[in-house]
Amino acid sequence: MAVLTMGALPLGFRFRPTDEELINHYLRLKINGRHSEVQVIPEIDICKWEPWDLPGLSVIKSNDPEWFFFCPRDRKYPNGHRSNRATDKGYWKATGKDRTIKSKKSLIGMKKTLVFYKGRAPKGERTNWIMHEYRPTTKELDGTAPGETAFVLFRLFHKVEEKNDAVKYDELEQTGYSSAMIKSSPDDTSSDLMQDTVSSVTHSQKPDNFMQNDQVTEISLPERQFEFV
Amino acid sequence: MAVLTMGALPLGFRFRPTDEELINHYLRLKINGRHSEVQVIPEIDICKWEPWDLPGLSVIKSNDPEWFFFCPRDRKYPNGHRSNRATDKGYWKATGKDRTIKSKKSLIGMKKTLVFYKGRAPKGERTNWIMHEYRPTTKELDGTAPGETAFVLFRLFHKVEEKNDAVKYDELEQTGYSSAMIKSSPDDTSSDLMQDTVSSVTHSQKPDNFMQNDQVTEISLPERQFEFV
């Protein structure tokens, strides 16, 4: 497995691609078979793993509870209207409205929020594992052209239990993501996720299985890594 | 001037330190004279420059409208209750409440939001230049111990005019900062700044003077830059 540790970068560097970058760069290259250019995000079959096993499969190793994966698009449901989202121990369930991703005002993709439940529907037990599924919507990235393979991209989050009921503003602020200055709109149906995930960032807790991979393969970056001009 | 370009890192890597990292790592080392370890953030006298000249002084060169600077703490107002914040062409004015920065529930610093106005108070014209000022509050970082120098840290933002009055949720979402899942609390007095700055991230506009420095000096990072294990 490929591993990219962040320790040698100055503290504070993080992999924080925008939604537009995930669609127009990462998914575009992956769908077009240019795998070696997007090795920083590994390819897995998301439903063959339990969520707590996924961080160990991440190429980028950091303390932030956030990880990225490509997943082949399920052929059983090519329209994206439904997907088989069951794992061995539970299932991923969509929550809230899908959101549009635009580039220069054009629709390029959709983002769906999923929550993992242990057990079987409708009696599953909600967990703190959350994913955003990114799906391109343009014809050119539907995976049907010669040389293309259909992929979606998952951004996985793990939230940590808060002792207090309320996450206060100051606590949100100290995560440092405040600079992005995001404000959720009143129609945001996943605002509870937002609050929860912030608290996990605050605690920077590692999942137990973090960095416990024994099969490690070296991969290489472009020669110039940091450029000082 | 030292320059660190991001081009050779995989797309999506950004300098996004948390508030806690800015106080406990960057300000701590700077105040203790360990300048070579925090070269990624340059030292300037913030009020000797107009805000639109500051991006050109940033060590980290990216398209994101966000930049970091150390500034010697003003000796005229050592208590931090007031500072001389006038530049040649205008002045920085505090807005909203100062916010606390905590580490493991202990107060370690304060964050103040400032907006730049052109002209002279009280008739200044509000601009799109915004700063967060980070100030340590612990005794050990007050800059009075032998070998210490008092510093604050500024995180500068430039927002871009929105054509539409409303920034819609989908537009916020595509900035990619959604993963941080920040929600502003009702008592956040600077929520208008939040909205504005998000729009600037969406547009990724460079200030005109960006990268127009002619005095460039090479600085070096630790030998291991990216570690592939």
mmCIF file of all heavy atoms in Angstrom, chain A residues 172-194:
data_model
loop_
_atom_site.group_PDB
_atom_site.id
_atom_site.type_symbol
_atom_site.label_atom_id
_atom_site.label_comp_id
_atom_site.label_asym_id
_atom_site.label_seq_id
_atom_site.Cartn_x
_atom_site.Cartn_y
_atom_site.Cartn_z
ATOM 1 N N LEU A 172 -15.575 25.741 18.029
ATOM 2 C CA LEU A 172 -15.524 25.648 16.570
ATOM 3 C C LEU A 172 -14.344 26.450 16.060
ATOM 4 O O LEU A 172 -13.594 26.005 15.208
ATOM 5 C CB LEU A 172 -16.800 26.220 15.946
ATOM 6 C CG LEU A 172 -18.103 25.503 16.269
ATOM 7 C CD1 LEU A 172 -19.250 26.217 15.599
ATOM 8 C CD2 LEU A 172 -18.038 24.056 15.811
ATOM 9 N N GLU A 173 -14.203 27.614 16.607
ATOM 10 C CA GLU A 173 -13.177 28.515 16.124
ATOM 11 C C GLU A 173 -11.787 27.925 16.233
ATOM 12 O O GLU A 173 -10.945 28.097 15.363
ATOM 13 C CB GLU A 173 -13.234 29.832 16.911
ATOM 14 C CG GLU A 173 -14.302 30.732 16.408
ATOM 15 C CD GLU A 173 -14.034 31.157 14.990
ATOM 16 O OE1 GLU A 173 -12.976 31.721 14.727
ATOM 17 O OE2 GLU A 173 -14.880 30.863 14.142
ATOM 18 N N GLN A 174 -11.535 27.220 17.297
ATOM 19 C CA GLN A 174 -10.153 26.766 17.503
ATOM 20 C C GLN A 174 -9.754 25.630 16.572
ATOM 21 O O GLN A 174 -8.609 25.238 16.548
ATOM 22 C CB GLN A 174 -9.916 26.370 18.955
ATOM 23 C CG GLN A 174 -10.604 25.088 19.364
ATOM 24 C CD GLN A 174 -10.157 24.663 20.736
ATOM 25 O OE1 GLN A 174 -9.002 24.318 20.941
ATOM 26 N NE2 GLN A 174 -11.045 24.701 21.685
ATOM 27 N N THR A 175 -10.687 25.140 15.780
ATOM 28 C CA THR A 175 -10.280 24.121 14.829
ATOM 29 C C THR A 175 -9.448 24.723 13.706
ATOM 30 O O THR A 175 -8.746 24.023 13.016
ATOM 31 C CB THR A 175 -11.493 23.436 14.174
ATOM 32 O OG1 THR A 175 -12.163 24.387 13.356
ATOM 33 C CG2 THR A 175 -12.419 22.880 15.209
ATOM 34 N N GLY A 176 -9.551 26.015 13.538
ATOM 35 C CA GLY A 176 -8.726 26.639 12.525
ATOM 36 C C GLY A 176 -9.375 26.642 11.157
ATOM 37 O O GLY A 176 -8.880 27.257 10.240
ATOM 38 N N TYR A 177 -10.464 25.956 11.026
ATOM 39 C CA TYR A 177 -11.145 25.976 9.751
ATOM 40 C C TYR A 177 -11.998 27.223 9.611
ATOM 41 O O TYR A 177 -12.632 27.439 8.615
ATOM 42 C CB TYR A 177 -12.026 24.733 9.595
ATOM 43 C CG TYR A 177 -11.199 23.503 9.485
ATOM 44 C CD1 TYR A 177 -11.007 22.669 10.567
ATOM 45 C CD2 TYR A 177 -10.576 23.201 8.297
ATOM 46 C CE1 TYR A 177 -10.225 21.550 10.466
ATOM 47 C CE2 TYR A 177 -9.794 22.085 8.181
ATOM 48 C CZ TYR A 177 -9.622 21.260 9.267
ATOM 49 O OH TYR A 177 -8.850 20.157 9.155
ATOM 50 N N SER A 178 -11.997 28.012 10.641
ATOM 51 C CA SER A 178 -12.795 29.219 10.629
ATOM 52 C C SER A 178 -12.406 30.140 9.493
ATOM 53 O O SER A 178 -13.197 30.913 9.020
ATOM 54 C CB SER A 178 -12.615 29.948 11.941
ATOM 55 O OG SER A 178 -11.232 30.177 12.139
ATOM 56 N N SER A 179 -11.187 30.043 9.032
ATOM 57 C CA SER A 179 -10.749 30.952 7.988
ATOM 58 C C SER A 179 -11.542 30.727 6.712
ATOM 59 O O SER A 179 -11.681 31.607 5.896
ATOM 60 C CB SER A 179 -9.281 30.741 7.700
ATOM 61 O OG SER A 179 -9.094 29.452 7.180
ATOM 62 N N ALA A 180 -12.021 29.545 6.561
ATOM 63 C CA ALA A 180 -12.816 29.283 5.374
ATOM 64 C C ALA A 180 -14.124 30.060 5.468
ATOM 65 O O ALA A 180 -14.738 30.379 4.476
ATOM 66 C CB ALA A 180 -13.119 27.803 5.266
ATOM 67 N N MET A 181 -14.482 30.386 6.690
ATOM 68 C CA MET A 181 -15.625 31.247 6.924
ATOM 69 C C MET A 181 -16.885 30.712 6.276
ATOM 70 O O MET A 181 -17.601 31.411 5.567
ATOM 71 C CB MET A 181 -15.328 32.650 6.425
ATOM 72 C CG MET A 181 -14.178 33.266 7.188
ATOM 73 S SD MET A 181 -13.731 34.842 6.520
ATOM 74 C CE MET A 181 -12.756 35.492 7.846
ATOM 75 N N ILE A 182 -17.099 29.465 6.507
ATOM 76 C CA ILE A 182 -18.298 28.832 5.970
ATOM 77 C C ILE A 182 -19.462 29.055 6.927
ATOM 78 O O ILE A 182 -19.325 28.924 8.124
ATOM 79 C CB ILE A 182 -18.064 27.323 5.813
ATOM 80 C CG1 ILE A 182 -17.112 27.072 4.667
ATOM 81 C CG2 ILE A 182 -19.376 26.583 5.600
ATOM 82 C CD1 ILE A 182 -17.682 27.326 3.312
ATOM 83 N N LYS A 183 -20.575 29.379 6.347
ATOM 84 C CA LYS A 183 -21.780 29.516 7.145
ATOM 85 C C LYS A 183 -22.810 28.588 6.533
ATOM 86 O O LYS A 183 -23.038 28.617 5.343
ATOM 87 C CB LYS A 183 -22.256 30.969 7.084
ATOM 88 C CG LYS A 183 -23.276 31.333 8.101
ATOM 89 C CD LYS A 183 -23.502 32.827 8.109
ATOM 90 C CE LYS A 183 -24.024 33.320 6.774
ATOM 91 N NZ LYS A 183 -24.564 34.683 6.873
ATOM 92 N N SER A 184 -23.403 27.770 7.334
ATOM 93 C CA SER A 184 -24.408 26.880 6.758
ATOM 94 C C SER A 184 -25.704 27.643 6.570
ATOM 95 O O SER A 184 -26.077 28.475 7.382
ATOM 96 C CB SER A 184 -24.621 25.662 7.655
ATOM 97 O OG SER A 184 -25.173 26.062 8.877
ATOM 98 N N SER A 185 -26.366 27.375 5.490
ATOM 99 C CA SER A 185 -27.618 28.063 5.217
ATOM 100 C C SER A 185 -28.744 27.357 5.956
ATOM 101 O O SER A 185 -28.610 26.201 6.352
ATOM 102 C CB SER A 185 -27.884 28.083 3.723
ATOM 103 O OG SER A 185 -28.143 26.777 3.273
ATOM 104 N N PRO A 186 -29.839 28.048 6.152
ATOM 105 C CA PRO A 186 -30.929 27.459 6.944
ATOM 106 C C PRO A 186 -31.458 26.162 6.328
ATOM 107 O O PRO A 186 -31.981 25.323 7.023
ATOM 108 C CB PRO A 186 -32.014 28.549 6.911
ATOM 109 C CG PRO A 186 -31.282 29.811 6.587
ATOM 110 C CD PRO A 186 -30.123 29.403 5.734
ATOM 111 N N ASP A 187 -31.309 25.991 5.024
ATOM 112 C CA ASP A 187 -31.849 24.784 4.401
ATOM 113 C C ASP A 187 -30.849 23.639 4.419
ATOM 114 O O ASP A 187 -31.015 22.651 3.747
ATOM 115 C CB ASP A 187 -32.290 25.069 2.972
ATOM 116 C CG ASP A 187 -31.135 25.466 2.086
ATOM 117 O OD1 ASP A 187 -30.061 25.808 2.640
ATOM 118 O OD2 ASP A 187 -31.270 25.447 0.867
ATOM 119 N N ASP A 188 -29.803 23.815 5.177
ATOM 120 C CA ASP A 188 -28.810 22.756 5.225
ATOM 121 C C ASP A 188 -29.307 21.644 6.120
ATOM 122 O O ASP A 188 -29.378 21.780 7.337
ATOM 123 C CB ASP A 188 -27.489 23.286 5.760
ATOM 124 C CG ASP A 188 -26.537 22.146 6.014
ATOM 125 O OD1 ASP A 188 -26.596 21.145 5.292
ATOM 126 O OD2 ASP A 188 -25.767 22.262 6.970
ATOM 127 N N THR A 189 -29.609 20.554 5.535
ATOM 128 C CA THR A 189 -30.219 19.473 6.299
ATOM 129 C C THR A 189 -29.200 18.647 7.052
ATOM 130 O O THR A 189 -29.557 17.790 7.831
ATOM 131 C CB THR A 189 -30.992 18.543 5.352
ATOM 132 O OG1 THR A 189 -30.129 18.203 4.273
ATOM 133 C CG2 THR A 189 -32.230 19.221 4.829
ATOM 134 N N SER A 190 -27.945 18.898 6.821
ATOM 135 C CA SER A 190 -26.929 18.086 7.498
ATOM 136 C C SER A 190 -26.131 18.912 8.491
ATOM 137 O O SER A 190 -24.993 18.630 8.767
ATOM 138 C CB SER A 190 -25.985 17.444 6.480
ATOM 139 O OG SER A 190 -25.285 18.440 5.772
ATOM 140 N N SER A 191 -26.773 19.938 9.035
ATOM 141 C CA SER A 191 -26.020 20.803 9.930
ATOM 142 C C SER A 191 -25.575 20.075 11.192
ATOM 143 O O SER A 191 -24.573 20.419 11.789
ATOM 144 C CB SER A 191 -26.844 22.032 10.301
ATOM 145 O OG SER A 191 -28.030 21.608 10.925
ATOM 146 N N ASP A 192 -26.308 19.071 11.566
ATOM 147 C CA ASP A 192 -25.873 18.319 12.744
ATOM 148 C C ASP A 192 -24.562 17.599 12.460
ATOM 149 O O ASP A 192 -23.693 17.509 13.302
ATOM 150 C CB ASP A 192 -26.955 17.331 13.175
ATOM 151 C CG ASP A 192 -27.322 16.356 12.083
ATOM 152 O OD1 ASP A 192 -27.320 16.766 10.908
ATOM 153 O OD2 ASP A 192 -27.609 15.209 12.396
ATOM 154 N N LEU A 193 -24.400 17.136 11.244
ATOM 155 C CA LEU A 193 -23.125 16.531 10.877
ATOM 156 C C LEU A 193 -22.007 17.550 10.989
ATOM 157 O O LEU A 193 -20.917 17.264 11.441
ATOM 158 C CB LEU A 193 -23.167 16.034 9.429
ATOM 159 C CG LEU A 193 -24.227 14.991 9.116
ATOM 160 C CD1 LEU A 193 -24.076 14.535 7.694
ATOM 161 C CD2 LEU A 193 -24.073 13.823 10.065
ATOM 162 N N MET A 194 -22.331 18.739 10.540
ATOM 163 C CA MET A 194 -21.307 19.776 10.575
ATOM 164 C C MET A 194 -20.774 19.967 11.986
ATOM 165 O O MET A 194 -19.596 19.951 12.226
ATOM 166 C CB MET A 194 -21.889 21.089 10.081
ATOM 167 C CG MET A 194 -22.287 21.007 8.634
ATOM 168 S SD MET A 194 -22.351 22.617 7.923
ATOM 169 C CE MET A 194 -22.480 22.196 6.202
#
